[in-house]
Amino acid sequence: MPEVRDRLPLLLLGVLFLGYACSYFHRADLAALAPLWPHEPGRTALAAALPDLASLGLLVYALGKFAGGVLAERFGGRRLFVLALATAALAELLAAACTAPVPFALCRVLGMAALALAWPSLGHVVASASPRHRLATTMAFLSQSYLLGDAAVRAVLAAVVARGGDSVDVLRTSCAGLAAGALLSGGMFRWLGRRVVAATGGPAPAPSPAEAAPRCSPWRPMLWLAGMNMALALVRESLSFWSPLLLVESCRYAPEAALRASALLPIVSGLGVVLAGPFADRSPRALAVVLVLPGLLGAAGLAWLSAPAAAGPAVVVVLALVSGALAMPTSLASGVLPLRAAGRGGARWLGLVDGCGTLGAVLAGSGIGRVRATFSMSIAFSVLGAVALLSALLAAGYVRRAAVTGPSASDQSDP
């Protein structure tokens, strides 16, 4: 029954898409809790500790990704993916009973450490189920799960709050969403496994040793790629965080208008991610262009934003275009390129590169915030422009190193 096998990857991708979107019930809960805690009795200490809780969770999330790929290749991506969602659901349930910062922080660490395993696990599953010559397109599609998942989850939690829900209701709703994602993923993975056995008479064949082994050690190209991803994440997260304030201070937008205008950034970023996958699947030369050129364009756009004459709606357009351009190499670095670095595997490289990107996001708020506080917003955006230029140089180093060493990361010829 070849038609059954043909449907399996599509079903698998749908399950992964929905499951990873559900992970944002844990990632977005602090945004919903922030306006509730200051007005709830007994939550004053939690409200005061909110910035530290957010930074701690993001740091644990980054460090956990380094181990996520190794664990996925050791224990299986499907099992680890379901376990990550289920553990995060448990963390939300425990957090609902916490009224002091330390117990809540422990729950936060548990949940973020578990969720750090989800993306490398997803990558491991995709690398074994999707044709390698379409891997960039597939990962570009799955990257939309966190863009759409973030928006959908925030809408659900906003509805809970609008109906009079308190912080406990928010946390219990997040627990239910994560548990639903774990049950859906686990049930569908089990059913799909049985369909493979029914269609082929046995489990899916493992890749041959020649197919699974890398042509050479991808350590050096991956280090260039990890550095590029860290620089890109620092710039993109800074733009996301500081763009509303820039519009208020420099363009005299009202706060609510600035927030609405800043929503254009993730929309254009999502479009950039969708375009990056098929473009990178086209040829090694197209891949090199989509890695190096966005950093140069981003540096030019940020240089314009740092000029005193930058004002008006043009600022919103440039912010969105810079964010969308930088999303293209970011999606490739956090998806297809590490997966192609080691034959049919590569989840451990995905954890390394994506973890470095999350560390860059940790530096975005505090690092650029200190530059702005010490100097000015204009200087802060000049620094971001220099970091964007650095990302282009690191991308060029990756392209050159990958071409010299010949890892499968640049191989576009698989059938």
Side-chain angles (χ1 to χ4, degrees):
M1 297 183 212
E3 69 281 359
V4 174
R5 289 198 303 268
D6 289 342
R7 292 196 198 103
L8 290 179
L10 182 59
L11 288 172
L12 203 60
L13 295 179
V15 170
L16 290 170
F17 189 99
L18 292 176
Y20 199 75
C22 287
S23 73
Y24 272 78
F25 275 104
H26 189 76
R27 291 287 306 277
D29 61 352
L30 287 184
L33 295 172
L36 296 177
W37 276 345
H39 307 290
E40 292 183 3
R43 308 279 176 173
T44 305
L46 286 171
L50 180 62
D52 294 330
L53 292 171
S55 298
L56 175 63
L58 199 57
L59 179 61
V60 170
Y61 187 65
L63 297 177
K65 285 186 176 182
F66 296 143
V70 177
L71 293 174
E73 294 186 355
R74 173 65 179 84
F75 298 106
R78 298 186 185 191
R79 293 178 183 175
L80 205 62
F81 187 78
V82 175
L83 179 63
L85 296 178
T87 304
L90 175 62
E92 292 287 83
L93 186 62
L94 295 174
C98 297
T99 57
V102 172
F104 189 91
L106 293 176
C107 295
R108 193 73 188 168
V109 166
L110 173 64
M112 294 299 280
L115 281 187
L117 310 178
W119 185 252
S121 300
L122 178 148
H124 184 268
V125 174
V126 171
S128 63
S130 178
R132 280 167 47 78
H133 71 292
R134 306 303 294 173
L135 197 54
T137 304
T138 302
M139 290 302 292
F141 164 74
L142 287 171
S143 294
Q144 301 302 309
S145 65
Y146 58 79
L147 295 170
L148 297 178
D150 189 14
V153 165
R154 287 172 188 260
V156 170
L157 297 181
V160 171
V161 174
R163 292 183 179 182
D166 58 9
S167 60
V168 173
D169 295 319
V170 167
L171 291 168
R172 287 176 177 172
T173 301
S174 294
C175 172
L178 287 159
L183 289 173
L184 172 66
S185 302
M188 287 296 291
F189 285 156
R190 187 174 182 83
W191 180 78
L192 288 172
R194 290 176 177 174
R195 294 277 285 179
V196 170
V197 172
T200 64
S208 65
E211 186 182 31
R215 299 179 192 173
C216 63
S217 173
W219 260 111
R220 291 184 178 179
M222 288 300 104
L223 290 178
W224 284 95
L225 194 65
M228 181 198 82
N229 204 32
M230 180 179 289
L232 288 169
L234 196 158
V235 177
R236 293 188 67 245
E237 290 297 323
S238 296
L239 290 180
S240 176
F241 189 83
W242 293 107
S243 57
L245 185 60
L246 173 69
L247 294 175
V248 170
E249 290 185 349
S250 300
C251 305
R252 305 199 181 279
Y253 275 55
E256 62 275 12
L259 287 173
R260 287 196 298 268
S262 66
L264 187 62
L265 273 66
I267 294 174
V268 178
S269 295
L271 179 61
V273 170
V274 170
L275 294 175
F279 197 72
D281 274 332
R282 185 178 181 86
S283 69
R285 181 173 296 179
L287 174 63
V289 170
V290 84
L291 284 176
V292 178
L293 184 59
L296 299 175
L297 295 176
L302 288 163
W304 182 83
L305 288 169
S306 65
V315 172
V316 179
V317 174
V318 174
L319 281 170
L321 290 178
V322 170
S323 183
L326 297 182
M328 299 177 76
T330 299
S331 67
L332 298 175
S334 295
V336 60
L337 298 181
L339 292 178
R340 282 183 174 157
R344 299 292 285 185
R348 62 189 182 278
W349 303 118
L350 178 60
L352 170 69
V353 175
D354 196 37
C356 287
T358 307
L359 285 178
V362 173
L363 297 173
S366 60
I368 297 301
R370 286 189 174 88
V371 173
R372 174 186 173 273
T374 304
F375 300 100
S376 66
M377 183 70 82
S378 178
I379 296 297
F381 272 78
S382 297
V383 172
L384 290 178
V387 176
L389 181 60
L390 175 63
S391 74
L393 297 176
L394 291 169
Y398 165 78
V399 170
R400 179 177 177 275
R401 179 60 62 179
V404 169
T405 57
S408 55
S410 60
D411 183 9
Q412 306 287 330
S413 61
D414 288 359

